[in-house]
Amino acid sequence: MKRVGIIYANSYNAEAMDYILQSLEAVFGGHATFTNYYLDAFDETTLLHDDAYLAANEVPFQILKNYVSDYTTIIKVNRSPRRDALEKISAIPSGSNVLVVNDSYENAMETVASFNDVGIGHITLIPYDANLTHTGIYDNLTVAITPNETSLVPPPTSTLLLILGIVRSVLIPCTPL
């Protein structure tokens, strides 16, 4: 059985990271075991010896080479929306302004990019930044999309689409410079 490490920048949203791990185990459980790692927990003695690594977008690849035994086994991972989520989003009226809420502004931006990548262009997607909530800029938005971060959606949102994304890996083996 192969060992696969999933590397994140930090454990800020461990619940979502555990969900991703469980989803991968559900698909590949008979062929691989998965372990979550957090870059901010590494020190100068850390050296991982898994067979392959899935690295989230926010992980700096050049730094990773100091912590893995074989840098060429790193695969960049992107999240993409499920088909049923895309159908719900496609049903939103054209021209609507839609708030995209995730656990951080950076992840909200990544979610917006993943929707753009699959052709969602009939609506304006606005990434949520919790630091701007008090300014009132979200007050007139009535539709929000979130991948299970419902507690972060600001009022007065009246329509909430809950989309649970799946992990899609983009096989980009990294090679040392």
Side-chain angles (χ1 to χ4, degrees):
M1 184 148 343
K2 298 293 183 180
R3 293 183 331 258
V4 179
I6 309 169
I7 304 174
Y8 299 97
N10 56 55
S11 61
Y12 173 70
N13 192 351
E15 183 178 308
M17 295 165 189
D18 286 339
Y19 173 80
I20 292 169
L21 183 138
Q22 292 167 10
S23 297
L24 288 167
E25 286 178 338
V27 174
F28 300 106
H31 305 284
T33 59
F34 295 88
T35 304
N36 283 339
Y37 296 109
Y38 308 103
L39 190 62
D40 67 348
F42 294 175
D43 62 26
E44 63 278 351
T45 65
T46 301
L47 184 60
L48 305 177
H49 293 282
D50 294 281
D51 297 303
Y53 304 95
L54 304 176
N57 279 342
E58 69 271 7
V59 176
F61 283 75
Q62 288 301 313
I63 293 174
L64 274 184
K65 68 182 177 183
N66 299 318
Y67 301 110
V68 299
S69 57
D70 183 356
Y71 189 68
T72 63
T73 61
I74 299 172
I75 300 166
K76 178 183 173 188
V77 174
N78 290 324
R79 291 175 221 145
S80 66
R82 293 172 18 161
R83 183 179 312 241
D84 59 336
L86 292 176
E87 291 171 2
K88 290 178 186 177
I89 294 166
S90 295
I92 297 172
S94 184
S96 296
N97 292 323
V98 178
L99 188 61
V100 178
V101 179
N102 210 327
D103 61 343
S104 69
Y105 175 72
E106 292 77 15
N107 286 339
M109 291 289 293
E110 183 181 330
T111 303
V112 168
S114 73
F115 291 141
N116 290 332
D117 288 347
V118 295
I120 299 294
H122 71 291
I123 57 178
T124 301
L125 297 168
I126 302 164
Y128 175 68
D129 185 341
N131 295 321
L132 299 177
T133 302
H134 71 283
T135 67
I137 65 170
Y138 305 125
D139 290 353
N140 294 323
L141 300 175
T142 59
V143 179
I145 299 171
T146 182
N148 209 21
E149 300 297 338
T150 56
S151 65
L152 299 177
V153 176
T157 303
S158 60
T159 303
L160 177 63
L161 292 179
L162 180 62
I163 50 132
L164 297 176
I166 60 169
V167 174
R168 167 180 56 96
S169 64
V170 179
L171 302 178
I172 306 175
C174 299
T175 54
L177 297 176

